[in-house]
Amino acid sequence: MSIEQIAKNRIEKIASFFKAKQLGTPKIGIVLGSGLGNLVNLITDKTVIPYSEIPEYLVSTVVGHSGEWIYGQLNGVPVIVLSGRFHYYEGYSMQEVTLPIQILKEVGVEKVILSNAAGGMNPSFKVGDIMIIRDHINMFGNNPLLGVNDDTLGPRFLEMSEAYSKKMIKIAFATAEKLQIHLQEGVYMGVTGPCYETPSEYKMFYILGADAVGMSTVPETIMARYRGMEVFALSVITDLGIVGKSEKISHEEVLQASAKASPLMEKLVCEMLPQL
Ligand code: HPA
């Protein structure tokens, strides 16, 4: 059996595990990033499935990520929330990093919401800002779609002119205005990490056209688009890498800054859901 067939069987097996539980078919999947786990407390009618109970799944290794699939309702809308994601820097392959996205597709999800923590390079950004991702630059030096293509899953050459749904971005801005939440919008640079950037790297990424940089989201977005799902993604700006103003950062500071911004982000996402 080919590597691709083995991977496909694994995805189908895990999807069957969820389907057998008959928890409904939510159309929206939400992947929670660093420090944004509080959204799980707002879910009602919850069914929590720890990653360890899912056959052939992966185990999360990062501090601050608990690792659960949660079926439930957010603001009256059926959702699947993935608390704890798999990062490339943990040593997972691109196929493993994007496995949850493939399963979301198989169980019927049509729209994916991704959140993450990111360092801001745009000089108008402040720590704690929420940035709507308008577009991304893949700086991972890798791509989850490398390999033999299965045409039944998606196209060989994926079109990426609207990786992030313009419609969902419009809803986000209208909702934020109503809630008086200040939003930034920009381009997310996806890198492997696990190092944070040197001042010269932040500068280079800004010159290349990115407003913020982080270690996730890009592989998931690519896979979601490949599988025909719409994507909406947002970053909490947890630290700044602004030319001439670079400061030391730690993972703790990143977690603190995202915890502070998360109530607003949660409010925004909850209000958006019924409109999607
Ligand atoms: N760089 C990369 N990833 C990040 C950063 C950063 O500055 N902040 C949070 N995640």
Side-chain angles (χ1 to χ4, degrees):
M1 217 188 310
S2 68
I3 294 172
E4 286 79 14
Q5 191 57 49
I6 292 168
K8 199 175 176 186
N9 290 351
R10 181 184 190 184
I11 292 159
E12 280 168 5
K13 187 169 173 188
I14 301 172
S16 305
F17 165 82
F18 286 115
K19 284 182 199 160
K21 291 190 176 288
Q22 298 192 311
L23 298 166
T25 49
K27 299 282 175 261
I28 298 175
I30 306 176
V31 179
L32 302 179
S34 231
L36 300 175
N38 286 339
L39 205 59
V40 301
N41 301 323
L42 303 177
I43 307 172
T44 55
D45 305 317
K46 275 203 250 206
T47 304
V48 177
I49 304 149
Y51 288 173
S52 57
E53 287 178 16
I54 306 170
E56 298 191 30
Y57 208 59
L58 309 146
V59 179
S60 184
T61 69
V62 181
V63 180
H65 293 266
S66 59
E68 287 163 348
W69 269 63
I70 304 163
Y71 276 72
Q73 304 223 348
L74 260 180
N75 199 14
V77 178
V79 289
I80 300 174
V81 174
L82 274 58
S83 142
R85 64 145 59 94
F86 306 105
H87 301 86
Y88 191 56
Y89 62 73
E90 293 175 87
Y92 298 111
S93 67
M94 278 282 164
Q95 282 66 34
E96 288 173 320
V97 167
T98 55
L99 178 75
I101 303 294
Q102 298 251 37
I103 299 162
L104 285 176
K105 171 69 183 184
E106 295 296 326
V107 299
V109 165
E110 293 170 359
K111 294 184 166 85
V112 178
I113 298 176
L114 308 166
S115 73
N116 61 54
M121 283 92 67
N122 185 316
S124 71
F125 287 5
K126 291 191 293 297
V127 168
D129 275 354
I130 297 170
M131 183 187 90
I132 302 298
I133 301 182
R134 180 183 355 113
D135 202 0
H136 76 220
I137 299 174
N138 178 10
M139 197 57 107
F140 277 85
N142 202 343
N143 190 303
L145 306 182
L146 285 174
V148 177
N149 190 57
D150 182 338
D151 294 335
T152 65
L153 301 181
R156 169 76 291 185
F157 299 107
L158 179 64
E159 201 280 320
M160 287 291 275
S161 63
E162 192 185 326
Y164 299 88
S165 162
K166 287 203 172 95
K167 192 172 147 226
M168 286 161 92
I169 292 173
K170 211 168 150 190
I171 292 168
F173 275 99
T175 307
E177 196 180 333
K178 211 174 72 192
L179 297 174
Q180 298 196 302
I181 295 173
H182 175 65
L183 290 183
Q184 303 282 9
E185 185 182 2
V187 175
Y188 177 91
M189 176 75 79
V191 296
T192 64
C195 300
Y196 291 115
E197 286 65 33
T198 64
S200 302
E201 287 166 342
Y202 283 122
K203 182 178 172 187
M204 173 179 77
F205 293 158
Y206 186 58
I207 290 170
L208 289 179
D211 298 285
V213 55
M215 307 173 197
S216 67
T217 304
V218 166
E220 288 123 312
T221 296
I222 291 171
M223 185 55 78
R225 296 302 294 142
Y226 175 71
R227 301 300 312 271
M229 296 185 281
E230 279 185 73
V231 178
F232 174 72
L234 62 192
S235 300
V236 186
I237 304 301
T238 55
D239 53 276
L240 298 171
I242 293 172
V243 176
K245 281 202 246 172
S246 69
E247 285 171 10
K248 278 212 163 94
I249 49 165
S250 68
H251 184 54
E252 286 64 39
E253 281 170 301
V254 167
L255 291 179
Q256 265 173 26
S258 52
K260 230 168 120 186
S262 71
L264 287 182
M265 199 153 177
E266 286 154 24
K267 212 163 138 188
L268 177 69
V269 170
C270 285
E271 280 298 311
M272 284 176 66
L273 286 174
Q275 306 172 64
L276 296 179

